[in-house]
Amino acid sequence: MVESPQLTPQMVRLTSEGADLRAMGPLVHIDSYIKIRFGEQTLTGTVHHDPEVGRMVVDFVVHGEEGLAGALAATAQPGEEITVGGPGRGWAPSRATGAAA
């Protein structure tokens, strides 16, 4: 992980980079998701992915002491190793609907 800024008091963004992320290819689904493993804990997050530069961004909502994902994301530090699985299938709009893919 290369960045973990707190965007707001309730939002943390985790950014990772690497050659393996380029191999994922473009994500064609609007709500594609990934699994992120921090040690023994696995989180699910909606991903924003740029395969050309091998960069992946996942935003997490922090609910104070409540919830696993936000609490782990809030304590994540640059340089920390994470494992990523996915992407999982999300929803891809039909071009016939006029919705942007």
Side-chain angles (χ1 to χ4, degrees):
M1 182 173 15
V2 295
E3 296 177 332
S4 59
Q6 185 146 1
L7 303 177
T8 72
Q10 289 81 34
M11 181 74 64
V12 174
R13 173 169 289 165
L14 303 184
T15 303
S16 295
E17 293 180 341
D20 290 346
L21 296 175
R22 284 192 284 278
M24 282 176 60
L27 303 177
V28 297
H29 299 285
I30 288 175
D31 59 349
S32 293
Y33 64 89
I34 59 165
K35 298 287 186 177
I36 301 174
R37 188 167 185 94
F38 288 91
E40 298 297 315
Q41 301 293 329
T42 301
L43 313 176
T44 301
T46 301
V47 63
H48 308 282
H49 176 246
D50 185 345
E52 291 183 20
V53 297
R55 178 177 278 249
M56 175 185 68
V57 174
V58 183
D59 293 337
F60 289 96
V61 176
V62 178
H63 301 281
E65 300 295 317
E66 302 289 321
L68 176 65
L72 282 173
T75 61
Q77 297 296 312
E80 197 169 333
E81 187 170 314
I82 60 173
T83 303
V84 175
R89 184 180 164 107
W91 176 73
S94 165
R95 296 241 184 249
T97 66

